[in-house]
Amino acid sequence: MIVLQDVYKKFSSGKSKTDALINVNIKIKEGEFVAITGPSGSGKTTLLNIIGGLDSPTKGKVFINDFDLKHMDDDELSHYRNKEIGFIFQEFHLEPFLKVRNNILLPTLFDGHTHDVQAYADALLKEVKLVKKSYALANELSGGEKQRTAIARALINKPKIIIADEPTGNLDQETGEAIITLLKNLQKTHNITLIIATHDKEIARLAKRIIHIEDGIIKRR
Amino acid sequence: MISIAIRSLIAHRSRTTLSIISIAIGVASIFLFVTMINGINKASTEQTAKQNPLNQIIVRPRLDKTGLVSFLTKSEKGKLTDQTIEDIKKINGIKNIYPEIQFGNFSSIEVQLIGIGVLTDAMVFGVPYEFIKDEIPNEETWKSSEEPYPAILPRKILELYNLSVASPQGLPLLSEEDLIGKEMIFYPRFSTFFGSSGNDKSTQITLKIVGFSDKASLLGPTIPLEILNTLNRYYAPSGNNSYTELFVETSDQNKTTQIAQEIENLGLSTQYFTKDLKEVQAKISYLSIGLGLISLIIILLSGIAIIGTFLSQIAERRKELGLLRALGATRKQIKLLIMSEAGFIGLIGSTIGIGAGILASIIFDKYITTELRNTILLPKTLFCITPEIIIATLAFGICLSIIAAYIPANTASKVDPITALK
């Protein structure tokens, strides 16, 4: 269960201050598929960053399975991001000098793991239909292949939560739909909480719940 | 983590090459300096050991006790006499004492070299056979009692002739073989400098060069002790009959210093290997300090180059580092990644640098042995490469690279994943 209580986030740049999130209160159940919608600059990414442990709120509390992220130091937050969260970015963010398989295995290098990561990488390559591209360099892939690699990478450490920030933003409509379908299927088979930030209403409709945010304020949940 | 470091180095080839070159240049220079200092040290140690073996003490009168007053009054005080030998023999650990005497009159030597007659004032010394038996394997050669009398010359004099006379004037170089068997005329009553009414060139004694030695005095030929005693009796009866030097051989080389101290307590001056070596090393230390300072500058420049290269590399790799942080890498792991990369650069750069250093030392040595051999006095090899120096330089290069990468690694660990991934 993800719980955000009275979360505020302010960004300061010189004398100017921006309220990115204002009094955000959200509860997301385990295994839920949630879409966060809203226009650009509304606070979607900030919200995802706070849930993913990349950023911390200026005020308020974030609980992940009843544990307050505020009490984690930098190393514990790294561990949390590595084990509990799988990130998928709009710009894929693959290491261009690594092969597909090694990109997928990248998160396994930072901490110990209890499962056979090599076998699991093979299984994920099959699931995302990239077996033939296993040994291709990341910069040799198409946009859709890159995002499928990123999805497999997000799943390699068997996280409980997948955070996808505009995962179809850099893809054409057809590929984007295929990626969302893939994500939805994986969410079901792996029983993970999937949080997608998108401004695409069609994609949002596929989610079980939509949280709409405007100017840092939750309008609908 | 190491595999990412290696892949990252390969991916950023140009930067990696630049860093490797910086390290290689620094390491090669330091390697050359260290091996050169080591080579000079070794050569001077060998030269000192040749002139003064570990178990040998050269005993001389103390100048303050045999000064002008002593000379004028013919006083025996402080001089090396048979009594001195007896006193030294009483010290524990003495194996042999070989006396050296000097011809007691102004004298000169004439020799025909490459068709040119050379007449010069010279001192003549006498030593017992036992002292130079390593250089003259056949005792009979030394014990000849008829003219021409046997004589040995110092090896250094041949080197000095080749260097300062033959080379500049374009004369043929001489080797020991060229001179062995050659005769010299010894004028016991003639001096080219101190000419007086007693100057008489008619008395001539023929000497024959039978060998060369590092132990022989640099000031003139050395002949058998017995013959010089006889010559002194005939031609310098009023001269100084004391010994010039005593060569004391100890039974245990480890006790040489202690025995030398005891000899000094008898009011005599000593010279021995450790003492000579200390003086030589004191002189070399100035060179070491000079080269050390140059090395320090090179190290600083290499370090700065690595810091600069890594800092700009990190600025370029912000996205990559931010992603690693987002995927769960801790700050420590990012630091480790950058420092591992630096370690690899250090390893490759140092290996190349050492290889280049070895190659450069071979080229320099070759140049020295072929081009400069007869121009300046140099050891056979100027560089002494040892496995210890190779290992130490390799370790140094790796450490330098890692230390220089510390600041960039620290900067990398502080990369904010949110801003980096924007």
Side-chain angles (χ1 to χ4, degrees), chain B residues 275-325:
Chain B
K275 202 173 174 181
D276 282 358
L277 197 62
K278 267 186 199 162
E279 284 168 14
V280 169
Q281 281 173 342
K283 283 171 193 158
I284 293 172
S285 67
Y286 291 114
L287 177 72
S288 306
I289 292 167
L291 293 179
L293 282 172
I294 298 170
S295 304
L296 196 72
I297 294 165
I298 293 168
I299 291 165
L300 277 174
L301 291 175
S302 298
I304 290 166
I306 295 164
I307 293 172
T309 313
F310 266 86
L311 278 176
S312 62
Q313 193 174 333
I314 279 151
E316 275 178 19
R317 291 170 64 188
R318 279 180 66 80
K319 264 203 168 115
E320 179 196 330
L321 297 167
L323 173 75
L324 296 180
R325 287 282 286 140

Side-chain angles (χ1 to χ4, degrees), chain B residues 16 135 355 367:
Chain B
T16 306
E135 312 285 357
Y367 176 71

Side-chain angles (χ1 to χ4, degrees), chain A residues 37-96:
Chain A
T37 59
S40 293
S42 58
K44 301 190 294 291
T45 301
T46 305
L47 186 57
L48 292 186
N49 286 341
I50 285 172
I51 295 170
L54 286 170
D55 206 351
S56 54
T58 312
K59 214 167 89 178
K61 288 180 177 179
V62 181
F63 294 95
I64 307 292
N65 294 331
D66 298 327
F67 193 86
D68 192 349
L69 290 189
K70 197 169 72 183
H71 296 130
M72 288 187 185
D73 63 19
D74 195 72
D75 281 1
E76 286 168 332
L77 278 171
S78 295
H79 178 80
Y80 163 73
R81 288 196 297 269
N82 187 248
K83 291 290 170 204
E84 307 292 329
I85 309 286
F87 286 102
I88 299 166
F89 306 96
Q90 182 179 349
E91 288 176 12
F92 324 122
H93 291 310
L94 300 177
E95 293 292 10

Side-chain angles (χ1 to χ4, degrees), chain A residues 23-27 209-212 218-221:
Chain A
N23 196 24
V24 172
N25 287 282
I26 303 171
K27 278 185 186 172
R209 186 154 64 105
I210 296 170
I211 296 170
H212 187 75
I218 303 287
K219 298 284 181 186
R220 255 185 298 132
R221 60 180 76 115

Side-chain angles (χ1 to χ4, degrees), chain A residues 13 19 59 63 69 76 86 90 116 129 161 186 190 217:
Chain A
S13 174
D19 291 315
K59 214 167 89 178
F63 294 95
L69 290 189
E76 286 168 332
Q90 182 179 349
D116 181 354
K129 296 182 176 60
I161 305 159
L186 289 169
H190 293 262
I217 301 164

Side-chain angles (χ1 to χ4, degrees), chain B residues 229-256:
Chain B
N229 269 330
T230 311
L231 293 177
N232 262 343
R233 270 199 303 277
Y234 277 107
Y235 303 111
S238 58
N240 180 7
N241 290 320
S242 61
Y243 301 116
T244 328
E245 288 178 337
L246 297 175
F247 298 96
V248 176
E249 200 178 299
T250 62
S251 50
D252 180 358
Q253 63 184 41
N254 297 323
K255 288 186 178 164
T256 304

Side-chain angles (χ1 to χ4, degrees), chain B residues 83-348:
Chain B
Q83 186 55 47
T84 318
I85 294 176
E86 289 308 312
D87 291 343
I88 294 172
K89 272 184 184 168
K90 286 177 194 161
I91 297 169
N92 273 339
I94 302 290
K95 195 176 169 189
N96 284 309
I97 301 174
Y98 306 113
E100 181 196 71
I101 55 170
Q102 189 186 323
F103 183 65
N105 201 2
F106 296 120
S107 57
S108 50
I109 292 280
E110 187 172 16
V111 63
Q112 291 287 324
L113 283 175
I114 47 163
I116 305 164
V118 179
L119 176 65
T120 177
D121 270 37
M123 291 180 179
V124 178
F125 300 88
V127 293
Y129 173 70
E130 289 68 28
F131 182 61
I132 43 93
K133 64 182 175 189
D134 293 342
E135 312 285 357
I136 317 286
N138 184 0
E139 194 174 352
E140 292 311 308
T141 316
W142 190 251
K143 294 255 163 125
S144 162
S145 56
E146 286 174 16
E147 279 191 64
Y149 296 125
I152 56 167
L153 293 177
R155 282 208 174 87
K156 263 291 171 276
I157 215 156
L158 194 61
E159 285 178 31
L160 285 169
Y161 163 79
N162 283 336
L163 194 72
S164 54
V165 180
S167 286
Q169 295 186 20
L171 298 171
L173 300 180
L174 293 175
S175 66
E176 288 184 16
E177 289 71 33
D178 294 333
L179 293 177
I180 285 182
K182 206 159 197 55
E183 291 188 350
M184 301 183 286
I185 309 293
F186 170 46
Y187 298 105
R189 285 176 170 160
F190 179 77
S191 167
T192 56
F193 291 126
F194 305 101
S196 67
S197 55
N199 235 5
D200 170 17
K201 214 180 167 187
S202 63
T203 312
Q204 300 180 1
I205 293 154
T206 314
L207 304 176
K208 186 176 159 188
I209 301 168
V210 294
F212 286 82
S213 171
D214 288 308
K215 291 179 184 174
S217 173
L218 274 171
L219 302 171
T222 299
I223 64 172
L225 184 78
E226 301 76 17
I227 293 167
L228 192 71
N229 269 330
T230 311
L231 293 177
N232 262 343
R233 270 199 303 277
Y234 277 107
Y235 303 111
S238 58
N240 180 7
N241 290 320
S242 61
Y243 301 116
T244 328
E245 288 178 337
L246 297 175
F247 298 96
V248 176
E249 200 178 299
T250 62
S251 50
D252 180 358
Q253 63 184 41
N254 297 323
K255 288 186 178 164
T256 304
T257 308
Q258 184 202 322
I259 292 169
Q261 292 295 324
E262 290 184 48
I263 293 171
E264 282 178 16
N265 291 342
L266 295 173
L268 301 162
S269 162
T270 63
Q271 184 190 342
Y272 50 98
F273 178 79
T274 325
K275 202 173 174 181
D276 282 358
L277 197 62
K278 267 186 199 162
E279 284 168 14
V280 169
Q281 281 173 342
K283 283 171 193 158
I284 293 172
S285 67
Y286 291 114
L287 177 72
S288 306
I289 292 167
L291 293 179
L293 282 172
I294 298 170
S295 304
L296 196 72
I297 294 165
I298 293 168
I299 291 165
L300 277 174
L301 291 175
S302 298
I304 290 166
I306 295 164
I307 293 172
T309 313
F310 266 86
L311 278 176
S312 62
Q313 193 174 333
I314 279 151
E316 275 178 19
R317 291 170 64 188
R318 279 180 66 80
K319 264 203 168 115
E320 179 196 330
L321 297 167
L323 173 75
L324 296 180
R325 287 282 286 140
L327 296 180
T330 60
R331 284 187 174 152
K332 214 173 168 182
Q333 284 171 323
I334 296 290
K335 253 190 214 176
L336 194 71
L337 173 73
I338 302 299
M339 288 169 96
S340 304
E341 289 181 17
F344 277 110
I345 285 173
L347 177 68
I348 299 165

